[in-house]
Amino acid sequence: MDRKVRVGVAGYGTIGQRLADGVALQKDMELVGVADLAPTLAIRALKEKGMPYDLYLVQGADKSKFDELGIPTKGSFDDLLGKVDIMLDSAPGGIGAKNKVLYEKAGVKAIFQGGEKNSVADVFFHGYANYEKGLDKSYLKLTSCNTTGLIRTVDALDRAVGLSKVAITIIRRVADPGDYHRGLTNALQIDKAPSHQAVDLMTIMPHVEATGILVHTPVTHGHIITVLASSKDGSKVTKEKALEVFENHPRIRVVSIDEGFLGNASLFKYARDLGNPRGDMYEIGLWRDSIVESGNDIMYAINIPQESVTIPETIDGIRAAMHMQSTREEGTNKTNEYLNIARWKK
Amino acid sequence: MDRKVRVGVAGYGTIGQRLADGVALQKDMELVGVADLAPTLAIRALKEKGMPYDLYLVQGADKSKFDELGIPTKGSFDDLLGKVDIMLDSAPGGIGAKNKVLYEKAGVKAIFQGGEKNSVADVFFHGYANYEKGLDKSYLKLTSCNTTGLIRTVDALDRAVGLSKVAITIIRRVADPGDYHRGLTNALQIDKAPSHQAVDLMTIMPHVEATGILVHTPVTHGHIITVLASSKDGSKVTKEKALEVFENHPRIRVVSIDEGFLGNASLFKYARDLGNPRGDMYEIGLWRDSIVESGNDIMYAINIPQESVTIPETIDGIRAAMHMQSTREEGTNKTNEYLNIARWKK
Amino acid sequence: MDRKVRVGVAGYGTIGQRLADGVALQKDMELVGVADLAPTLAIRALKEKGMPYDLYLVQGADKSKFDELGIPTKGSFDDLLGKVDIMLDSAPGGIGAKNKVLYEKAGVKAIFQGGEKNSVADVFFHGYANYEKGLDKSYLKLTSCNTTGLIRTVDALDRAVGLSKVAITIIRRVADPGDYHRGLTNALQIDKAPSHQAVDLMTIMPHVEATGILVHTPVTHGHIITVLASSKDGSKVTKEKALEVFENHPRIRVVSIDEGFLGNASLFKYARDLGNPRGDMYEIGLWRDSIVESGNDIMYAINIPQESVTIPETIDGIRAAMHMQSTREEGTNKTNEYLNIARWKK
Amino acid sequence: MDRKVRVGVAGYGTIGQRLADGVALQKDMELVGVADLAPTLAIRALKEKGMPYDLYLVQGADKSKFDELGIPTKGSFDDLLGKVDIMLDSAPGGIGAKNKVLYEKAGVKAIFQGGEKNSVADVFFHGYANYEKGLDKSYLKLTSCNTTGLIRTVDALDRAVGLSKVAITIIRRVADPGDYHRGLTNALQIDKAPSHQAVDLMTIMPHVEATGILVHTPVTHGHIITVLASSKDGSKVTKEKALEVFENHPRIRVVSIDEGFLGNASLFKYARDLGNPRGDMYEIGLWRDSIVESGNDIMYAINIPQESVTIPETIDGIRAAMHMQSTREEGTNKTNEYLNIARWKK
């Protein structure tokens, strides 16, 4: 393809804003516009910033409400679909499935986020674990935030030493900063096991048996997951080997308590101090001082920046679906280059 | 011994108050008194309740402050030591080691809580895991709250199927209700691995390899621990077998999400609704719906009521140190009977 | 009335449990039973305690679910209504209005909690502020938890010095311990002003102008309200006078930071340490060190134990509606006597 | 002065980072460098960003630790002092007083933050309330974050209608995002009244009587203050008048619940969505729907972004101390222009 791939974003919420920002950084893509329903705070901020992205209105939107606030709009959702090659659908869970009918009608590809059912897509996708499965597909579904970050480490270990089994404990942040529609106060909440993230991991990596327990906690700045991984042949996975694998992964940031990374809030603070837009981070954190051996198995803890972690893998998905790069390595490298990922490793 | 065993409590704080309450319920023990340094809220509440326990002052206490408030005192710490067979030391961490000198001088036995170093005691004690090791010993140290609850389950599984290895994730409550001297706000905090609880477990159960990761969370109503246990011979530990083992343990309360036990706060609420003094619970909770198989290993989640969980095992310790009962079964059964534990299982 | 007044409780939730406990302590009342819809944790706890209160099932309840769990029931809601003189309705907001039809049909009186609309009742009631208005009435509605505690102080000041105006800031706890259906995580949330509590105060005390702002905070152990009160004639309300008024009120507990009462969680801890069932407290806390003069006005801060604060005033309501005592003083004194309120002041 | 004013920053923590960023935006100032003691996360982030600011080491710093991490340094604190006209001291509380000796020796001016005692400075400063008092002074001390934001509104009302009295309730966030050295868990904590912010306000605005109560809450994204203000002559301050005053102030952002600003976390989210560096905001938020009349007095609620709110007034302080502009209006306008404040009002 000689021209840039044209991308639209449906749903300008927590994920949609970040997808738009990420696509806008890709030199081989063009962000055609974003679509939403109502003048939310995110849309008001877009206006206050001078409309860096064009705004389209989905069906059901009341244009007069935007007009009253002086928020310019560029047209309807159909108008947007007429101008793009592929849509990133970050509409609320369940809406994506309805939007798919429109995508099919308009003949555009789409990538759905984790809130949709797997059946909405041709392939359940992760940039590092199964890039090639996404090649030329019309409809991809991204793994959810926890699963995306988790798979980065499990896939990397699996490629290095061969894994047969993982058991995870997800210490989940219960809401994003600014969320008022959900919350938990002075309580831990447990879900029925196994957690869906373990089940999802097996869908992406069917040769690995996975299970796990999820506990919600009243915090907003990132999930923490502990992982216990067993090698395929029962041989020992050493702490040194695991650390080497993690340090070589562009989307894993190995940190330590001694450096000052005391928990999920340290990583959020660090991203703000870096000047990252919105205080976001694309990499997961992995604590060097959490890695321990359990017999021949290896155990470690990671931090998942829930708002931004799926952005790189979603952009990988565009590369696969549009066949912009043919291999996992080329695809993820290009995404990393434009998102400025792993600059600190150089 | 024909007469009741005479018990004193040093340090009338969160643990000390509950030790006193627990001992007062034992028909074969006499709570001689409690000792403290200053008129804290706990001491003021004791006075408002009409001094159900006699109060002694430790060295350094300013008696005039108690007099001003009309809080009657019975004498000095030495006076208390002169009247007891055994002291339960729940003084702040490190003070217990200093108190030991006084205990030795007075010729009284003592049981220390988890905040002291292991070297303070002749044996590191758990009522179910090593009761017999405590028999006739002069100085015992109790396992900490998390370790006490954890070992209940690991010891029970070990006796039933034989264990070789456990890997734990501790989702730790960071403060008790009413704590203002420590706290965490909107943050998860990770400790260097392995957690001391895993190391402590190995001290009590040296034939089991244990490791784990601890994450502090900003809640007050109970720790949650996920446990992955492997059998000694590699044979499968089924969900059914594990459940049977847990349901038969007097100090494990098997609960489920469907009943309404959604997390640690549900268990605290339930204990309040039961009318348990202080809303305490001696049993740990174990979620039926958290039990999952990971290959041949078994994984499950437990809830540790941190303020009260060590009370039964400490009283077991009195029984062992004073040789009131000769076996683990007799000792723990007597404690359970007087604490009214497992009444709901009958 | 020569016999005890017979009382039933509809809705055995957070408030209903405490109403039942409170009524059971009144020597001139008989708790006939409690009614609920489903085997909640509270009902399961009732069963585990050996059914100290008889349980009746409201319409729509599935008796087989109770039978399966071995929870004995005594009959239908109608059966209960046939045995009582007055119902305390603590059903979820809005259900009380529906229940009222049943109460009218059965010819029983009722007292509704703050979640119902004022129109459900003949009088909006507060034991100290307008006891006499409740005399012989059939249907009373209690003030909500914040308003009940607030009015204790405002009414007391008003009777002592005459008030014209109050402005309040409510720092609201957002959920109760054990609540999982509502919550807030790392956020303060503001309501549109004026807060309904200020408006409600004016309904009870029409001669006082009241306004205020409410901010929700992510805690569970009690609301804190700051109050700025102005005297009717503009004369100065001194700190000393206010303190004297507060110290003389049986349902106000004057505390101080120096004693160790650092905030709402200290009061909850203290109630647990007192051995109060469920760790409840009927009195509001009022910080001596919060009282400051603002010109001629007086400002102070109070703590509202939201789960239990309305219990005494609801029982006052029974006394008024059933004309058990004719005056505010006699009615509230009798309630206080049986609830053992203000024992510490003697 | 024909050349740019040369500015240094002592202490590159939460405030220091933001002071540096703010000064770097002033076209008539030059940020010479920042100084710190240890390679904190903030310093590591500075390095990862490519050292946009030169780093100097304060006395006691171990240069080898910086060398090991490859963090370039430009010299000692004395070296920095030799190159600047004025220092912004955001060292931890108490260190500023020690640094003052060095500033005097080096003949440089300085502005201290709220953590220092008032006696450290010639004038206690607020850009809007007493700009002229800072003119040509050598040592200024800024008001603390709450006081800075509060005075914006009180000063504005005072200039418009004349005030005699304010009573405030501060609902304080207890820690910043990423803070692990302080925190509060499920508790509100009250300070002895009156709060220092009320006292500080009277130091800056001696003709206004101020008092207030402060309650700490377990959140990180901004304090909320409710203010009750009385006019000098007792005349009515209407809601409309107050709103007009607030809307005309460049550093007050009037927001509403209906727009989606539900609390302090909404304002933080909005600042992130705006793309503001670190998700910061220089303006305070003021809720239109919180403004109510209390008799002739006016009541309202504001949001204080504690990490960044003092930055503009500190830069105003540079303008005053260096006599860059002679009047309050010129000084604050220039700061606002370069910080891009109030762009949304145009």
Side-chain angles (χ1 to χ4, degrees):
Chain A
M1 193 177 277
D2 285 346
R3 60 166 175 78
K4 293 183 178 185
V5 166
R6 298 166 307 186
V7 185
V9 172
Y12 193 66
T14 298
I15 300 298
Q17 289 182 76
R18 289 162 172 85
L19 288 173
D21 294 348
V23 168
L25 292 170
Q26 308 298 309
K27 295 187 178 154
D28 48 4
M29 300 183 190
E30 178 198 350
L31 179 69
V32 177
V34 302
D36 211 319
L37 177 70
T40 61
L41 284 191
I43 298 290
R44 288 166 192 261
L46 186 67
K47 190 229 168 188
E48 190 171 326
K49 285 190 285 190
M51 300 301 294
Y53 309 141
D54 285 343
L55 175 63
Y56 295 80
L57 299 187
V58 301
Q59 207 184 356
D62 180 351
K63 186 169 180 299
S64 69
K65 290 190 177 169
F66 293 80
D67 292 344
E68 276 169 31
L69 295 163
I71 301 172
T73 57
K74 279 282 175 172
S76 69
F77 198 46
D78 277 348
D79 292 338
L80 176 59
L81 297 190
K83 299 175 186 171
V84 303
D85 301 306
I86 188 166
M87 286 296 296
L88 305 183
D89 193 295
S90 49
I95 304 294
K98 292 178 186 166
N99 285 344
K100 189 184 175 185
V101 179
L102 306 175
Y103 302 150
E104 288 178 322
K105 196 173 148 199
V108 304
K109 298 189 172 195
I111 305 182
F112 301 92
Q113 292 295 311
E116 298 300 316
K117 292 189 178 163
N118 287 0
S119 59
V120 79
D122 304 322
V123 61
F124 193 27
F125 182 82
H126 186 283
Y128 277 86
N130 68 356
Y131 182 91
E132 285 81 1
K133 286 208 174 167
L135 285 172
D136 301 307
K137 289 292 189 309
S138 292
Y139 300 105
L140 309 184
K141 185 191 132 175
L142 246 283
T143 46
S144 67
C145 57
N146 270 306
T147 315
T148 299
L150 170 66
I151 288 181
R152 286 185 193 166
T153 67
V154 174
D155 169 73
L157 282 177
D158 185 42
R159 289 176 192 267
V161 305
L163 292 187
S164 63
K165 208 176 67 161
V166 299
I168 61 175
T169 298
I170 302 183
I171 304 170
R172 184 177 180 271
R173 75 82 190 89
V174 84
D176 292 328
D179 267 358
Y180 281 91
H181 63 291
R182 53 182 169 181
L184 196 58
T185 301
N186 195 39
L188 302 173
Q189 181 168 6
I190 193 165
D191 276 5
K192 290 187 184 182
S195 75
H196 82 77
Q197 292 84 356
V199 174
D200 285 354
L201 185 147
M202 290 191 284
T203 306
I204 297 277
M205 302 180 69
H207 56 291
V208 175
E209 180 181 352
T211 194
I213 294 174
L214 183 147
V215 175
H216 307 263
T217 65
V219 300
T220 67
H221 294 317
H223 314 287
I224 289 183
I225 308 179
T226 69
V227 186
L228 188 84
S230 311
S231 77
K232 200 159 50 185
D233 56 4
S235 64
K236 189 174 189 68
V237 185
T238 67
K239 193 169 159 169
E240 292 70 28
K241 181 63 184 174
L243 185 57
E244 179 199 324
V245 168
F246 297 142
E247 287 187 323
N248 282 331
H249 197 295
R251 295 186 192 162
I252 299 176
R253 183 183 278 265
V254 176
V255 298
S256 75
I257 293 171
D258 287 337
E259 290 165 345
F261 292 97
L262 305 185
N264 64 344
S266 301
L267 283 148
F268 181 70
K269 173 184 155 49
Y270 191 72
R272 293 176 77 197
D273 289 353
L274 279 177
N276 289 1
R278 305 176 197 274
D280 284 345
M281 195 172 279
Y282 294 129
E283 309 94 324
I284 60 168
L286 188 150
W287 277 276
R288 178 190 306 267
D289 3 35
S290 75
I291 310 176
V292 282
E293 295 169 3
S294 173
N296 281 352
D297 301 337
I298 193 80
M299 190 175 190
Y300 57 90
I302 57 177
N303 183 75
I304 309 289
Q306 78 276 354
E307 300 167 300
S308 48
V309 71
T310 62
I311 309 308
E313 272 80 355
T314 304
I315 293 174
D316 295 341
I318 301 174
R319 301 187 175 285
M322 299 303 297
H323 210 129
M324 297 171 73
Q325 285 82 26
S326 302
T327 68
R328 164 191 185 267
E329 188 164 8
E330 292 169 330
T332 58
N333 278 352
K334 194 50 85 178
T335 302
N336 293 346
E337 177 189 341
Y338 291 144
L339 291 181
N340 206 11
I341 287 179
R343 57 183 170 199
W344 80 96
K345 295 201 175 180
K346 284 165 194 166
Chain B
M1 191 176 277
D2 284 344
R3 59 166 175 76
K4 292 184 178 185
V5 167
R6 296 166 310 186
V7 184
V9 172
Y12 193 68
T14 299
I15 300 296
Q17 290 182 75
R18 288 163 172 85
L19 288 174
D21 294 347
V23 168
L25 292 169
Q26 308 298 308
K27 294 188 178 154
D28 49 4
M29 300 183 190
E30 178 197 349
L31 180 70
V32 177
V34 302
D36 212 318
L37 177 69
T40 59
L41 284 191
I43 298 289
R44 288 166 193 262
L46 186 66
K47 190 228 166 189
E48 191 171 325
K49 284 190 285 190
M51 301 302 293
Y53 310 141
D54 285 343
L55 176 63
Y56 295 80
L57 298 188
V58 301
Q59 209 184 357
D62 180 351
K63 185 168 179 300
S64 69
K65 288 190 178 169
F66 292 81
D67 293 345
E68 275 169 32
L69 294 163
I71 300 173
T73 57
K74 281 280 177 175
S76 70
F77 198 45
D78 277 348
D79 293 337
L80 176 60
L81 297 190
K83 299 176 186 169
V84 303
D85 301 306
I86 188 166
M87 287 296 296
L88 304 183
D89 193 296
S90 49
I95 304 293
K98 292 177 185 167
N99 286 344
K100 190 185 175 185
V101 179
L102 304 176
Y103 302 149
E104 289 177 321
K105 198 173 145 197
V108 304
K109 298 191 172 194
I111 305 181
F112 301 92
Q113 292 295 309
E116 298 300 315
K117 291 186 179 165
N118 287 358
S119 59
V120 80
D122 304 321
V123 61
F124 193 26
F125 183 82
H126 187 283
Y128 277 87
N130 68 355
Y131 183 90
E132 285 82 1
K133 286 207 174 169
L135 284 172
D136 301 307
K137 290 291 189 311
S138 292
Y139 300 106
L140 308 185
K141 185 191 134 175
L142 246 284
T143 45
S144 67
C145 57
N146 270 307
T147 315
T148 300
L150 170 65
I151 287 181
R152 287 185 193 165
T153 66
V154 174
D155 168 73
L157 282 177
D158 185 41
R159 290 178 191 265
V161 304
L163 293 188
S164 63
K165 208 175 64 160
V166 298
I168 60 176
T169 298
I170 301 183
I171 304 170
R172 184 177 180 272
R173 76 81 188 90
V174 87
D176 292 328
D179 266 359
Y180 280 92
H181 63 290
R182 54 182 169 181
L184 197 58
T185 300
N186 195 37
L188 301 173
Q189 181 167 6
I190 193 166
D191 276 4
K192 290 187 184 183
S195 75
H196 82 78
Q197 291 84 355
V199 175
D200 286 354
L201 185 147
M202 290 191 285
T203 307
I204 298 276
M205 303 180 68
H207 56 291
V208 174
E209 180 180 352
T211 194
I213 295 174
L214 183 147
V215 175
H216 307 264
T217 64
V219 299
T220 68
H221 295 316
H223 314 286
I224 289 182
I225 309 179
T226 68
V227 186
L228 188 83
S230 310
S231 76
K232 200 160 50 185
D233 56 5
S235 65
K236 189 174 190 67
V237 185
T238 65
K239 193 169 160 170
E240 291 69 29
K241 181 63 184 174
L243 185 57
E244 180 199 323
V245 167
F246 298 142
E247 287 188 323
N248 283 330
H249 196 295
R251 295 187 191 161
I252 299 175
R253 183 184 277 267
V254 176
V255 298
S256 74
I257 294 170
D258 287 338
E259 289 165 346
F261 292 97
L262 304 185
N264 65 345
S266 302
L267 282 148
F268 181 69
K269 174 185 155 48
Y270 191 72
R272 293 175 79 198
D273 289 354
L274 279 178
N276 289 1
R278 305 177 197 275
D280 283 346
M281 196 172 278
Y282 294 128
E283 309 94 324
I284 61 167
L286 189 151
W287 277 277
R288 179 190 305 269
D289 5 31
S290 74
I291 311 176
V292 282
E293 296 169 3
S294 174
N296 283 351
D297 302 336
I298 194 78
M299 189 174 193
Y300 57 91
I302 56 178
N303 183 75
I304 309 288
Q306 77 277 353
E307 300 167 300
S308 48
V309 70
T310 62
I311 309 308
E313 273 78 357
T314 304
I315 293 173
D316 297 341
I318 300 173
R319 300 188 175 285
M322 300 302 297
H323 211 129
M324 297 171 73
Q325 286 82 27
S326 302
T327 67
R328 165 190 184 267
E329 188 165 7
E330 290 168 331
T332 58
N333 278 353
K334 194 52 82 177
T335 302
N336 294 346
E337 179 189 339
Y338 291 144
L339 290 181
N340 205 11
I341 287 179
R343 59 183 170 198
W344 80 95
K345 294 199 175 181
K346 286 163 193 167
Chain C
M1 191 176 276
D2 284 346
R3 60 166 175 76
K4 294 183 178 185
V5 166
R6 296 166 309 186
V7 184
V9 172
Y12 194 67
T14 298
I15 300 296
Q17 290 182 76
R18 289 163 172 85
L19 288 174
D21 294 349
V23 168
L25 291 169
Q26 308 299 308
K27 294 187 179 156
D28 47 5
M29 300 182 190
E30 178 198 350
L31 179 70
V32 178
V34 301
D36 212 319
L37 177 70
T40 60
L41 284 191
I43 298 289
R44 288 167 194 262
L46 186 67
K47 191 229 166 187
E48 191 171 324
K49 285 190 285 190
M51 302 300 295
Y53 309 141
D54 285 343
L55 176 63
Y56 294 80
L57 298 187
V58 301
Q59 206 184 358
D62 181 351
K63 185 167 180 300
S64 68
K65 288 190 178 168
F66 293 80
D67 293 343
E68 275 169 32
L69 294 163
I71 300 172
T73 56
K74 279 281 177 174
S76 69
F77 198 45
D78 278 347
D79 293 337
L80 176 59
L81 297 190
K83 298 175 187 171
V84 303
D85 300 307
I86 188 167
M87 287 296 296
L88 304 183
D89 192 296
S90 50
I95 304 294
K98 293 179 185 165
N99 286 343
K100 189 184 175 186
V101 179
L102 305 176
Y103 302 150
E104 288 177 321
K105 197 173 145 197
V108 303
K109 298 190 171 194
I111 305 181
F112 301 91
Q113 292 295 311
E116 297 301 315
K117 291 188 179 163
N118 287 359
S119 58
V120 80
D122 305 322
V123 61
F124 193 26
F125 183 82
H126 186 283
Y128 277 87
N130 67 356
Y131 183 89
E132 285 81 0
K133 286 207 174 167
L135 284 173
D136 300 309
K137 291 290 190 309
S138 292
Y139 299 105
L140 308 185
K141 185 191 134 175
L142 245 285
T143 46
S144 68
C145 56
N146 270 306
T147 314
T148 300
L150 170 65
I151 288 182
R152 286 185 194 166
T153 66
V154 174
D155 169 73
L157 283 176
D158 185 41
R159 290 176 192 264
V161 304
L163 293 187
S164 63
K165 206 175 69 161
V166 299
I168 61 175
T169 299
I170 302 183
I171 304 170
R172 184 177 181 271
R173 77 81 189 89
V174 85
D176 293 327
D179 267 358
Y180 281 92
H181 63 290
R182 54 183 169 180
L184 196 57
T185 300
N186 195 39
L188 301 173
Q189 182 167 6
I190 193 166
D191 276 5
K192 290 187 184 181
S195 75
H196 81 77
Q197 291 84 356
V199 175
D200 286 354
L201 185 147
M202 290 191 285
T203 306
I204 298 277
M205 302 180 69
H207 57 292
V208 175
E209 180 181 351
T211 194
I213 295 174
L214 183 147
V215 175
H216 307 264
T217 65
V219 300
T220 68
H221 295 316
H223 315 286
I224 289 183
I225 309 179
T226 68
V227 186
L228 188 83
S230 311
S231 75
K232 202 159 49 186
D233 55 5
S235 65
K236 190 174 188 69
V237 185
T238 67
K239 194 169 158 168
E240 291 69 30
K241 180 64 184 174
L243 185 57
E244 179 199 323
V245 168
F246 298 143
E247 287 188 325
N248 282 330
H249 196 295
R251 295 187 192 162
I252 299 176
R253 184 183 277 265
V254 176
V255 299
S256 74
I257 293 171
D258 287 336
E259 290 165 345
F261 292 98
L262 305 184
N264 64 345
S266 301
L267 282 149
F268 182 69
K269 173 185 157 46
Y270 191 71
R272 294 176 76 198
D273 289 354
L274 279 178
N276 289 1
R278 305 177 197 273
D280 283 346
M281 194 171 279
Y282 294 129
E283 308 95 324
I284 61 167
L286 188 150
W287 277 276
R288 179 189 306 266
D289 4 34
S290 75
I291 311 176
V292 283
E293 296 169 4
S294 173
N296 282 350
D297 300 336
I298 193 77
M299 189 175 190
Y300 57 90
I302 56 177
N303 183 75
I304 308 288
Q306 77 277 351
E307 300 167 300
S308 48
V309 71
T310 61
I311 309 308
E313 272 79 356
T314 304
I315 293 173
D316 296 340
I318 300 174
R319 299 186 176 286
M322 300 301 298
H323 211 128
M324 298 172 73
Q325 285 83 26
S326 301
T327 68
R328 166 189 184 266
E329 189 165 6
E330 291 169 330
T332 58
N333 278 353
K334 193 52 83 178
T335 302
N336 293 346
E337 177 190 339
Y338 291 144
L339 290 181
N340 205 12
I341 286 179
R343 58 183 170 199
W344 81 97
K345 294 201 177 181
K346 288 164 193 166
Chain D
M1 191 176 277
D2 284 347
R3 60 166 174 78
K4 293 184 178 185
V5 167
R6 296 166 311 185
V7 184
V9 172
Y12 193 67
T14 298
I15 300 297
Q17 290 182 75
R18 289 163 173 85
L19 288 173
D21 294 348
V23 168
L25 292 169
Q26 308 299 308
K27 294 189 178 152
D28 48 5
M29 300 182 190
E30 178 196 350
L31 179 70
V32 177
V34 301
D36 211 318
L37 178 70
T40 60
L41 284 191
I43 299 288
R44 289 166 193 262
L46 186 68
K47 191 228 166 188
E48 191 170 325
K49 285 190 284 190
M51 300 302 293
Y53 310 141
D54 285 344
L55 176 64
Y56 295 80
L57 298 187
V58 301
Q59 209 184 353
D62 180 350
K63 184 168 179 301
S64 69
K65 288 190 178 170
F66 292 80
D67 293 344
E68 275 169 33
L69 295 163
I71 300 172
T73 57
K74 279 283 175 172
S76 69
F77 197 45
D78 277 348
D79 292 337
L80 176 59
L81 297 189
K83 299 176 187 170
V84 303
D85 301 304
I86 188 166
M87 286 296 295
L88 304 183
D89 193 295
S90 49
I95 304 294
K98 294 178 184 165
N99 285 344
K100 189 185 176 186
V101 179
L102 305 175
Y103 302 150
E104 288 177 321
K105 197 174 147 197
V108 303
K109 298 189 173 196
I111 304 181
F112 301 92
Q113 292 294 311
E116 298 299 316
K117 292 187 179 164
N118 287 359
S119 59
V120 80
D122 305 321
V123 62
F124 193 28
F125 182 83
H126 186 282
Y128 278 87
N130 67 356
Y131 183 89
E132 285 82 0
K133 287 208 174 167
L135 284 172
D136 300 308
K137 290 292 188 310
S138 291
Y139 300 106
L140 308 184
K141 185 191 134 174
L142 245 284
T143 46
S144 68
C145 57
N146 270 306
T147 314
T148 300
L150 170 65
I151 288 182
R152 286 184 193 166
T153 65
V154 174
D155 169 73
L157 282 177
D158 185 41
R159 289 177 192 264
V161 303
L163 293 188
S164 63
K165 208 175 66 161
V166 298
I168 60 175
T169 298
I170 302 183
I171 305 170
R172 185 177 181 269
R173 76 81 190 88
V174 85
D176 292 329
D179 267 358
Y180 281 92
H181 63 291
R182 54 182 168 180
L184 196 57
T185 301
N186 195 39
L188 302 173
Q189 181 168 7
I190 193 165
D191 276 5
K192 290 187 185 183
S195 75
H196 83 78
Q197 291 84 356
V199 175
D200 286 355
L201 185 147
M202 290 190 285
T203 307
I204 298 277
M205 302 180 68
H207 57 291
V208 175
E209 181 181 351
T211 194
I213 295 175
L214 183 147
V215 175
H216 306 263
T217 64
V219 300
T220 68
H221 294 317
H223 314 287
I224 289 182
I225 308 179
T226 67
V227 186
L228 188 82
S230 311
S231 75
K232 202 160 46 186
D233 55 5
S235 65
K236 189 174 189 67
V237 185
T238 66
K239 194 169 158 170
E240 291 68 29
K241 180 64 184 173
L243 185 57
E244 179 199 324
V245 168
F246 298 142
E247 286 188 325
N248 282 331
H249 196 295
R251 295 186 192 162
I252 299 176
R253 182 183 279 266
V254 176
V255 299
S256 73
I257 294 172
D258 287 338
E259 289 165 346
F261 292 98
L262 304 185
N264 64 345
S266 302
L267 282 149
F268 181 69
K269 173 184 156 48
Y270 191 71
R272 295 175 76 197
D273 289 353
L274 279 178
N276 289 2
R278 305 177 197 273
D280 284 346
M281 195 171 280
Y282 294 128
E283 307 95 325
I284 60 167
L286 188 150
W287 277 276
R288 179 190 306 267
D289 5 33
S290 74
I291 311 176
V292 282
E293 297 169 3
S294 174
N296 282 351
D297 301 336
I298 193 79
M299 191 176 190
Y300 56 90
I302 56 177
N303 182 74
I304 308 287
Q306 77 276 353
E307 300 167 300
S308 48
V309 70
T310 62
I311 310 309
E313 272 79 357
T314 303
I315 292 173
D316 296 341
I318 301 174
R319 300 188 175 284
M322 300 303 296
H323 211 128
M324 298 171 72
Q325 286 82 26
S326 302
T327 67
R328 165 190 185 266
E329 187 165 8
E330 290 170 331
T332 57
N333 278 352
K334 193 52 82 177
T335 302
N336 294 345
E337 177 189 339
Y338 291 145
L339 290 181
N340 205 11
I341 286 179
R343 58 182 169 200
W344 79 97
K345 294 201 177 180
K346 286 163 191 166

